[in-house]
Amino acid sequence: VDNLFTDITDDVDVEPELRTVVGDLQIPLAKLALLEPQFFADVSHPARGVIDKVTQLASSGNYPNRALESKVTGIIDQIVENYRTDSTVFQSALQELDGLSEQQQKALERNVERVVKTQDGQEKLKKAEKAVDKILRSRIRPPKAPKPLVELVDKGWRDLLKLTYVKRGPNSKEWKDYVKTLDLLSLWLMQSRKGGEVDEKVKVQRALEAEPLLDMVSYQISEALPTHVEHEPILDTLREVLAGREELEYVDLDPYRDDEETTSDDVRKKVEQLPRLRRWLRRVEDLERGTWLTYRDAQGARRRMQLAWVNDDHDRFIFVNERGQKVADVTGVELARKLSRGAKRPSPSEELPLVDQSMYKTLEHVQRSLSFEKNHDSLTRLINRETFMEQIEQALKHAKSKHADHA
């Protein structure tokens, strides 16, 4: 029991406000060990479950949470006060702790779901902005562009395209119709610029089609963006220009900057030049959503974070803590560096119940002690004669077979 609580102190990041309370369990567990020593080996014993649940719920990652702190404290106090010889006290406590643990898990799942939805929305919006920029740049090009068209894009059409991409997608009929409308307006304005090159029949046909098309544009923007009204004067200007009653104005455009983000393929090519990171990047690519990683924070405390979201290119990773709060937003290379610096998945032994972990550590310590005593002199603490002769013999064999030198 003493070893168990030493391991809790050393390995479990218990909330400071609960350390004394958790330590109070040592007395009833010591009593239990005397009355029912088999509980250490009985995986179904409720006391083992109590230890695991208490240490999980007392982890500092769950706090600040006054309600949870009060509830855990109350359950432990009941065990301390009520346990004499009847282990059903632990059974009752375990039922309450299971209920708290289930609430914590559901809260984590809901919080993770919110983080995922937020990131999915942001990623979709980012893609929409790129797609819209690509469409507009291919149709409105420097050095000059029709002023009404540029203003219409800035005062509503760009937002309409982004909203349509997010809600309907780039393969939807609405998206394709809006792009066609932009193409048609660009064509008509280009024809207006050329003046006499357009025959009278085309002008008449364009005048007949322009009014209902612009009415439709007004309706589409207003329906999708009810608070937008700045586009109406621009549409009035377009009506006058397309009817030939007003001269088309042009505005100067600055050359577009090539601000495309580095692609995942570009990143991989750079990583190929960094051989030390290659194997860590391969481990990053193997990570799946829901994977927990353990790491040490700046103060050296042991922390856990769960992979909640990965983008389609598998080069951006969002992690949450035990409460489902976002704690890290990193690229694949940044995550590979974290892994190389010690962040890792919990080992199989760390997934074991806390009592089993403590027992294995005790056995390892005993094994190391016996091995040391077997191979070392009890007085000088140096290796004994038998071990020394064995090492000399191994060194001589190695020197003969490998032509090596030994000091």
Coordinates of all heavy atoms in Angstrom, one line a residue, residues 53 56-57 68 94-110:
K53 N -10.4 4.9 -10.4 CA -11.3 6.0 -10.7 C -10.9 7.2 -10.0 O -11.0 8.3 -10.6 CB -12.7 5.6 -10.4 CG -13.3 4.4 -11.2 CD -13.4 4.8 -12.6 CE -14.0 3.7 -13.5 NZ -14.1 4.0 -14.9
Q56 N -8.0 8.8 -11.7 CA -8.4 9.4 -13.0 C -9.1 10.8 -12.8 O -8.8 11.8 -13.4 CB -9.3 8.5 -13.8 CG -8.5 7.2 -14.3 CD -9.5 6.2 -14.9 OE1 -10.7 6.5 -15.1 NE2 -9.0 5.0 -15.1
L57 N -10.1 10.7 -11.8 CA -10.9 11.9 -11.6 C -10.1 13.0 -10.9 O -10.5 14.2 -11.0 CB -12.1 11.5 -10.8 CG -13.1 10.6 -11.5 CD1 -14.2 10.1 -10.6 CD2 -13.8 11.4 -12.7
L68 N -16.8 18.9 -9.2 CA -16.1 17.5 -9.3 C -15.2 17.4 -8.1 O -15.2 16.3 -7.4 CB -15.3 17.4 -10.6 CG -14.5 16.1 -10.7 CD1 -15.5 14.9 -10.8 CD2 -13.7 16.1 -12.0
L94 N -17.5 2.9 -5.6 CA -17.2 2.7 -7.0 C -18.3 3.0 -7.9 O -18.2 3.6 -9.0 CB -16.8 1.2 -7.2 CG -16.4 0.8 -8.6 CD1 -15.2 1.7 -9.1 CD2 -16.0 -0.7 -8.6
Q95 N -19.6 2.7 -7.4 CA -20.7 3.1 -8.3 C -20.8 4.6 -8.5 O -21.1 5.0 -9.6 CB -22.0 2.5 -7.6 CG -22.1 1.0 -7.6 CD -23.3 0.5 -6.8 OE1 -24.1 1.3 -6.2 NE2 -23.6 -0.8 -6.9
E96 N -20.6 5.3 -7.4 CA -20.7 6.8 -7.5 C -19.5 7.3 -8.4 O -19.7 8.2 -9.3 CB -20.5 7.5 -6.2 CG -21.7 7.2 -5.2 CD -21.6 8.1 -4.0 OE1 -21.7 9.3 -4.1 OE2 -21.4 7.5 -2.9
L97 N -18.3 6.7 -8.3 CA -17.2 7.1 -9.1 C -17.4 6.8 -10.6 O -17.0 7.5 -11.4 CB -15.9 6.5 -8.6 CG -15.4 7.0 -7.2 CD1 -14.3 6.1 -6.7 CD2 -14.9 8.4 -7.3
D98 N -18.0 5.6 -10.8 CA -18.3 5.2 -12.2 C -19.3 6.3 -12.8 O -19.1 6.6 -14.0 CB -19.0 3.9 -12.2 CG -18.0 2.7 -12.1 OD1 -16.8 3.0 -12.4 OD2 -18.3 1.6 -11.7
G99 N -20.3 6.7 -12.0 CA -21.2 7.7 -12.6 C -20.5 9.0 -12.9 O -20.7 9.6 -14.0
L100 N -19.6 9.5 -12.0 CA -18.8 10.7 -12.3 C -17.9 10.5 -13.5 O -17.8 11.4 -14.4 CB -17.9 11.0 -11.1 CG -18.6 11.6 -9.9 CD1 -17.6 11.8 -8.7 CD2 -19.3 12.9 -10.2
S101 N -17.3 9.3 -13.6 CA -16.4 9.0 -14.8 C -17.2 9.1 -16.1 O -16.7 9.6 -17.1 CB -15.7 7.7 -14.6 OG -14.8 7.4 -15.6
E102 N -18.4 8.5 -16.0 CA -19.2 8.5 -17.2 C -19.6 9.9 -17.6 O -19.6 10.3 -18.8 CB -20.5 7.7 -17.0 CG -21.3 7.5 -18.2 CD -22.5 6.6 -18.0 OE1 -22.6 6.0 -16.9 OE2 -23.4 6.6 -18.8
Q103 N -19.9 10.8 -16.7 CA -20.2 12.2 -16.9 C -19.0 12.9 -17.6 O -19.2 13.7 -18.5 CB -20.6 12.9 -15.7 CG -22.0 12.5 -15.1 CD -22.4 13.2 -13.8 OE1 -21.5 13.9 -13.3 NE2 -23.6 12.9 -13.3
Q104 N -17.8 12.6 -17.0 CA -16.6 13.2 -17.5 C -16.4 12.8 -19.0 O -16.0 13.6 -19.8 CB -15.4 12.8 -16.7 CG -15.4 13.5 -15.3 CD -15.0 14.9 -15.4 OE1 -16.0 15.8 -15.3 NE2 -13.8 15.3 -15.6
Q105 N -16.6 11.5 -19.3 CA -16.4 11.0 -20.6 C -17.4 11.6 -21.6 O -17.0 12.0 -22.7 CB -16.5 9.5 -20.6 CG -16.3 8.8 -22.0 CD -14.9 9.1 -22.5 OE1 -13.9 9.2 -21.7 NE2 -14.7 9.2 -23.8
K106 N -18.6 11.8 -21.2 CA -19.6 12.4 -22.1 C -19.3 13.8 -22.3 O -19.4 14.3 -23.5 CB -21.0 12.2 -21.5 CG -21.6 10.8 -21.6 CD -23.0 10.7 -21.0 CE -23.5 9.3 -21.1 NZ -24.9 9.2 -20.5
A107 N -18.9 14.5 -21.3 CA -18.5 15.9 -21.4 C -17.3 16.1 -22.4 O -17.2 17.0 -23.2 CB -18.1 16.5 -20.1
L108 N -16.3 15.1 -22.2 CA -15.2 15.1 -23.1 C -15.6 15.0 -24.6 O -15.2 15.7 -25.5 CB -14.2 14.0 -22.7 CG -13.0 13.8 -23.7 CD1 -12.1 15.0 -23.8 CD2 -12.2 12.5 -23.3
E109 N -16.5 14.0 -24.8 CA -16.9 13.7 -26.2 C -17.7 14.9 -26.8 O -17.5 15.2 -28.0 CB -17.8 12.5 -26.2 CG -17.1 11.2 -25.9 CD -18.0 10.0 -25.6 OE1 -19.3 10.2 -25.7 OE2 -17.5 8.9 -25.4
R110 N -18.5 15.6 -26.0 CA -19.2 16.7 -26.5 C -18.3 17.9 -26.8 O -18.4 18.5 -27.8 CB -20.3 17.2 -25.5 CG -21.5 16.3 -25.3 CD -22.6 16.9 -24.6 NE -22.2 17.2 -23.2 CZ -22.5 16.3 -22.2 NH1 -23.0 15.2 -22.4 NH2 -22.1 16.6 -21.0

